[in-house]
Each structure stands twice: as C-alpha cells, then as structure tokens.
C-alpha cells in the first residue's frame, strides 16, 4: 500500500494557494491541507503533524517564522520538513532560513514543475 504524506500549505494569496494545491494533486502520495493565516496554521498544527509544511513568511497574524517556531516547539527540530516559499529574496531572510534548518528556501513565483520536483525530493518520493 502506498504511503500518504500530509502536506500543510500555509499561503495567504488565494490564487497561488490554488495553483500549488492543484499542482500537488499530481503526486498521488500527497494529501494537501491549506491555511491562509499563521494563526490558522497553528490551530491545524495543534492536532495534526504534517510530514511537510510549505510556508509563506508574510502572513496575516503570526509570521511564517513564528509558525515555524511553534512547529519546532511542539514536534521538535527537524521533525517536520519545511519548504519556505516567499517573495523575500534578501540575504537576511535566507540566512534565518538556514539557521532555522528549513529544507528548501524558494523565491516566488515558483513554477509548478519545480514545486513537484522539490516536494518529491523533500519527501523522498520516487517518480517511477
């Protein structure tokens, strides 16, 4: 039986969230959930530990970094894979991402083909 991976997408831009969700439907092993705010993400994370979180940094309410801090506090460092997807391309945020041990730091817009490849790689899902 095929293993299912839970992916939490935390993205407040509706069109981008829809595009990512549609893109991830192409990976049968992935079940995707979506929240549009940092607070909603934390509420979801209270009861569900995703295998992967795709995280925007600029969110209404809690920032992406605050959501990441919550995940580490609740589940432990490195227990949830994290792909940051942000428009913030500055070196300071990339450095914070490295220090926070995020698995990938992507600058939006990210083409669907690249999203598929990176999610598969991060979750170690083969394409065969």
């Amino acid at each position: 039986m095929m293993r299912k991976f839970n992916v939490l997408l935390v993205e407040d831009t509706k069109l981008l969230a829809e595009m990512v969700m549609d893109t991830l439907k192409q990976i049968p092993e992935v079940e995707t959930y979506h929240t549009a705010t940092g607070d909603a993400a934390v509420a979801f994370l209270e009861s569900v530990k995703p295998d992967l979180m795709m995280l925007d940094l600029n969110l209404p309410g809690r920032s992406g970094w605050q959501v990441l801090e919550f995940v580490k506090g609740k589940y432990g460092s490195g227990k949830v894979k994290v792909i940051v997807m942000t428009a913030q391309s500055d070196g300071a945020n990339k450095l914070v991402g490295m220090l926070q041990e995020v698995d990938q730091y992507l600058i939006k817009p990210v083409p669907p083909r690249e999203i598929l490849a990176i999610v598969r790689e991060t979750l170690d899902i083969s394409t065969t």
Side-chain angles (χ1 to χ4, degrees):
M1 192 168 122
M2 170 174 47
R3 169 151 194 246
K4 277 287 194 183
F5 293 94
N6 288 326
V7 174
L8 174 60
L9 172 64
V10 186
E11 172 59 61
D12 62 325
T13 306
K14 189 173 190 278
L15 283 173
L16 180 59
E18 288 171 359
M19 183 276 290
V20 172
M21 302 258 308
D22 284 347
T23 299
L24 293 178
K25 284 178 185 168
Q26 297 176 47
I27 307 174
E29 298 90 343
V30 166
E31 185 71 39
T32 310
Y33 302 89
H34 172 245
T35 62
T37 68
D39 294 332
V42 166
F44 178 91
L45 291 160
E46 285 283 1
S47 57
V48 179
K49 176 184 171 274
D51 298 291
L52 170 66
M53 182 169 59
M54 300 180 75
L55 184 62
D56 186 10
L57 297 180
N58 293 331
L59 297 165
R62 290 181 209 221
S63 73
W65 294 129
Q66 290 170 314
V67 172
L68 183 56
E69 202 172 288
F70 174 83
V71 167
K72 287 182 169 192
K74 176 135 178 95
Y75 297 112
S77 189
K79 299 297 183 196
V80 174
K81 302 267 187 199
V82 178
I83 297 174
V84 168
M85 286 195 348
T86 182
Q88 297 180 358
S89 60
D90 60 285
N93 271 296
K94 285 183 180 177
L95 178 61
V96 170
M98 274 180 31
L99 295 172
Q100 292 294 330
E101 301 168 352
V102 301
D103 295 274
Q104 296 279 346
Y105 191 100
L106 307 177
I107 307 303
K108 293 186 222 174
V110 184
R113 196 169 61 240
E114 189 177 341
I115 290 171
L116 287 172
I118 287 172
V119 168
R120 281 191 173 110
E121 176 188 317
T122 304
L123 290 174
D124 199 24
I125 298 171
S126 72
T127 54
T128 53

